[in-house]
Amino acid sequence: MDSFTDVPRIKESSDIGQQQCRVVTEEEWLQKWQMRKIGFHKEQGHRILRKYLDVLLNGRSGLRIFFPLCGKAVEMKWLADMGHCVVGVELSECALKEFFTEQNLSYSEEPVPGISGAKVFKSTSGNISLYCCSIYDLSSTIAGRFDGIWDRGSLVAINPCDREHYANLMLSLMEGSCCYLLVSVLYDSNKHKGPPFYVPDSEIKSLFGLLISGENITSLKGKVCEIKCLEKVDDFSDQHKAWGLDYFLEVTYLLTLKSVP
Ligand code: SAH
């Protein structure tokens, strides 16, 4: 735990207010890519992954690492170069093609058995596979399970009404020893409509930290995460000021599965 001293004193609300009902359609995301409204993309990669890489890897090598809602995150190449196998999922084909072109990687394109209309783009080296489809079409049967997950701009990008579905899916994709790094954001949700959406600590706990009833997903029965907050830092920038905000915090969690008898 560190950096808490930098954080402005803010009373965190568990009420996500008007954002609860906000829906960003798939079409709107594709348009963002077309219109180049991709301010979320970090050309130099994210400082948090650099800082907590050792936590994600936890001394292991040759991992399968998942990037949900991957965009064209440059860290995918970075981790693949370290010998890990990277799997991503992204709605926008344009984002995925840009990733391979910008990273100077040749790739092949194949249909995905089991997901109608979906494609998977694979690097020629074979260690990067990026699915072009909605994350909700993916399952462990199609993509396997993962030793590590890097979730930045992902949980905070999905529609608030889909969070439970998303969390259950992520739990189902975790290997027993999976280290899941999750980056969430905190700001005054009455002042910006999102995305990124405001996800309070209390919601992270209820999504991942409580027992899931597993009505239809029997394999999830008993899956629950231990949730550790690694840091909470002020990330306020001019962009956030332009959105009408007066504070913006980035919170990093480590989720690991613990077995429940
Ligand atoms: N994680 C990336 C991108 C964050 S922006 C990064 O850190 O740069 C969120 C991305 O999710 C966008 O590229 C958007 O096209 C994609 N997306 C939104 N909804 C999705 C869904 N249901 N399934 C897959 N991708 C989705």
Side-chain angles (χ1 to χ4, degrees):
M1 300 244 186
D2 59 5
S3 310
F4 284 96
T5 43
D6 311 341
V7 176
R9 291 187 164 274
I10 291 149
K11 193 171 162 288
E12 194 179 315
S13 167
S14 58
D15 173 19
I16 64 169
Q18 304 149 347
Q19 291 194 348
Q20 182 65 55
C21 307
R22 174 140 160 78
V23 170
V24 179
T25 63
E26 294 192 356
E27 196 46 47
E28 285 174 272
W29 279 110
L30 298 180
Q31 271 166 17
K32 282 183 201 285
W33 279 98
Q34 257 164 19
M35 314 287 287
R36 312 312 295 162
K37 290 186 177 167
I38 52 168
F40 49 79
H41 177 67
K42 294 224 180 257
E43 270 174 35
Q44 304 304 321
H46 206 289
R47 83 169 176 90
I48 291 178
L49 186 56
R50 280 193 293 274
K51 181 169 177 185
Y52 293 106
L53 179 68
D54 290 349
V55 173
L56 180 72
L57 303 181
N58 196 19
R60 303 164 299 168
S61 53
L63 304 186
R64 296 193 80 233
I65 301 179
F66 186 45
F67 279 63
L69 282 68
C70 61
K72 54 173 181 173
V74 298
E75 299 91 339
M76 298 194 283
K77 165 86 165 39
W78 192 46
L79 286 166
D81 284 348
M82 290 176 202
H84 304 291
C85 189
V86 171
V87 175
V89 60
E90 165 60 51
L91 280 176
S92 164
E93 181 166 334
C94 151
L96 299 181
K97 287 185 168 166
E98 278 177 31
F99 168 78
F100 287 109
T101 309
E102 290 172 8
Q103 301 302 327
N104 289 315
L105 293 168
S106 54
Y107 63 95
S108 63
E109 197 178 313
E110 295 165 24
V112 183
I115 314 178
S116 124
K119 289 180 194 166
V120 57
F121 294 83
K122 290 186 181 167
S123 61
T124 309
S125 56
N127 57 354
I128 305 181
S129 299
L130 306 182
Y131 289 85
C132 185
C133 61
S134 168
I135 186 152
Y136 306 114
D137 292 330
L138 224 58
S139 64
S140 57
T141 316
I142 291 166
R145 288 182 201 263
F146 298 95
D147 308 302
I149 300 177
W150 169 240
D151 184 323
R152 180 266 164 178
S154 316
L155 173 68
V156 298
I158 57 146
N159 294 319
C161 59
D162 293 326
R163 280 182 194 156
E164 209 171 307
H165 185 176
Y166 178 88
N168 287 350
L169 176 61
M170 300 307 280
L171 287 166
S172 74
L173 295 175
M174 293 170 81
E175 280 289 4
S177 56
C178 182
C179 292
Y180 181 169
L181 276 185
L182 169 64
V183 183
S184 167
V185 297
L186 297 175
Y187 60 87
D188 184 342
S189 60
N190 295 311
K191 295 193 173 162
H192 178 60
K193 62 186 171 124
F197 296 110
Y198 167 78
V199 188
D201 195 59
S202 55
E203 196 159 347
I204 306 275
K205 287 190 179 123
S206 65
L207 288 170
F208 296 100
L210 294 180
L211 271 179
I212 291 162
S213 65
E215 257 171 66
N216 301 316
I217 324 168
T218 45
S219 63
L220 286 182
K221 264 188 188 147
K223 271 197 175 180
V224 61
C225 285
E226 190 174 309
I227 302 169
K228 189 172 166 196
C229 179
L230 300 175
E231 68 169 43
K232 186 184 274 190
V233 291
D234 187 355
D235 188 44
F236 192 64
S237 68
D238 287 345
Q239 181 195 32
H240 304 129
K241 200 171 176 182
W243 290 347
L245 302 179
D246 31 43
Y247 71 91
F248 189 92
L249 306 178
E250 214 165 31
V251 192
T252 307
Y253 300 90
L254 170 67
L255 311 185
T256 47
L257 285 176
K258 58 179 181 194
S259 50
V260 175

